[in-house]
Amino acid sequence: MVILIVFISLIGLIVLHEFGHFAIAKKFGVRVEEFGIGYPPRIFGKKIGETLYSLNLLPFGAFVKIYGEEGGIESAHSFTGKPIWQRALIILGGVVSFWIISAILLSIVFGMGVPQAISDEAKAVNPKVQIVAIASGSPAEEVGIKIGDAIKQLTINNQQLTINKVKQVQEFTKEHLGEEITLTIERGKEVFDATLIPRVSPPEGEGAMGVGLMRTALTSYPWYLASIKGVEACFNLTGSIVAGLLQVLGNLIQGKGLPPGAQLMGPIGIGSLMTQAAHLGLAYYLQFIALISIYLAIFNILPIPALDGGKLLFLGIEKVRRRAVSQKIEQGITSIFFALLIALMIWVTIKDISRLF
């Protein structure tokens, strides 16, 4: 059921992205020939007005077929018959929809109650000590503890300590280095025990169990503040992601390679992380979808042919040259980059599979 929910969520993001193109095209009077969920062959289709709405066999996304998008049709109802600024907005409609989705989801999360980091001294209702990082090959990783898990109790020799502060975990672990201790872990609605031995001499910067800890508590907001918080969070996350990507790009240009632990991830890897987030609870799951939506927006707006940003690039060239790039040339360049993206997707998917299995 969780896997099905994750799959539907990913498809839903793509459908809403295509709806963004669809809505702006309709606004400017451009004929939309078909709005399809999934890819052909077609299972079902119904024409309403000038648009055919279809459900298709291959459930890997969605598409919108806009009249004249391929060029060569100078009609008042065609894509190419519209001014450049309208065509640019039609293209941007799909990208902006990702940010709108993210802001809405984050607003819902702030209304439900969002996990926020707090100090050990802060007063809070039902605080948790959560695991926010796990070192590779550490005792915690070996017993199956995951990021997002909360430590509820620590037990040794039938002596139990209920945990609600980070300092408690640190002091307890320090007192029992090299001894077998049991952690009572909360993962979403699931509660289970994990037994490990804190290392006496751990690698520098890792700690005895090999985990990073944070004290958190749920903070909820009334709907009017939740909406503001959601938009702010969407904006801040976008800035952080862009800054991080620029730093990675700078490192690659300087020949420093990817940062430690950084890795490309495809649909399977993302689906796996979404599944883990779903097990932690609805708030975590919606937050993660919002994050993925922002990543998709940023990726889509990159000036790479075959992406929305590539289409905007060609429109920019047309604006400067005062005439469109040859349709044959544009299609050829787009086809090459599309093939490269598919090849990259296949390679990343293979890496995801090998990493997971």
Side-chain angles (χ1 to χ4, degrees), residues 35-237:
F35 185 97
I37 298 177
Y39 294 106
R42 186 180 301 149
I43 299 173
F44 170 80
K46 181 175 179 60
K47 193 165 187 177
I48 302 175
E50 61 186 13
T51 304
L52 173 68
Y53 298 88
S54 65
L55 180 65
N56 301 279
L57 183 62
L58 303 178
F60 302 120
F63 68 92
V64 58
K65 186 177 180 182
I66 297 176
Y67 179 62
E69 188 174 12
E70 301 301 324
I73 303 176
E74 297 297 330
S75 163
H77 298 290
S78 74
F79 180 79
T80 48
K82 296 296 179 180
I84 287 178
W85 69 271
Q86 290 188 3
R87 284 182 273 163
L89 288 178
I90 291 172
I91 293 168
L92 282 171
V95 179
V96 172
S97 66
F98 281 131
W99 273 301
I100 293 174
I101 294 165
S102 178
I104 291 172
L105 292 177
L106 290 171
S107 297
I108 293 171
V109 170
F110 277 105
M112 293 171 53
V114 61
Q116 292 189 327
I118 58 173
S119 68
D120 275 358
E121 292 73 31
K123 294 182 179 180
V125 178
N126 297 323
K128 295 181 179 181
V129 173
Q130 289 192 278
I131 294 168
V132 294
I134 297 179
S136 178
S138 65
E141 185 187 56
E142 290 177 356
V143 297
I145 293 173
K146 298 180 179 180
I147 292 175
D149 288 349
I151 301 175
K152 303 297 291 181
Q153 285 185 335
L154 293 173
T155 305
I156 185 170
N157 299 327
N158 294 322
Q159 297 179 350
Q160 292 184 337
L161 175 65
T162 299
I163 300 299
N164 57 34
K165 295 183 179 181
V166 171
K167 187 177 181 181
Q168 291 175 302
V169 180
Q170 294 171 336
E171 292 178 347
F172 186 93
T173 304
K174 188 175 180 180
E175 291 173 3
H176 299 288
L177 296 177
E179 301 179 55
E180 188 175 85
I181 63 174
T182 299
L183 289 74
T184 300
I185 299 293
E186 181 184 64
R187 180 180 297 165
K189 295 181 179 180
E190 181 184 4
V191 177
F192 61 94
D193 289 338
T195 301
L196 55 78
I197 299 176
R199 297 172 293 190
V200 177
S201 301
E204 185 177 352
E206 287 192 10
M209 290 194 291
V211 297
L213 301 173
M214 180 183 294
R215 189 174 187 240
T216 65
L218 288 178
T219 305
S220 61
Y221 298 85
W223 67 267
Y224 54 92
L225 287 180
S227 300
I228 296 172
K229 288 284 186 181
V231 173
E232 287 179 352
C234 181
F235 180 82
N236 292 335
L237 283 170

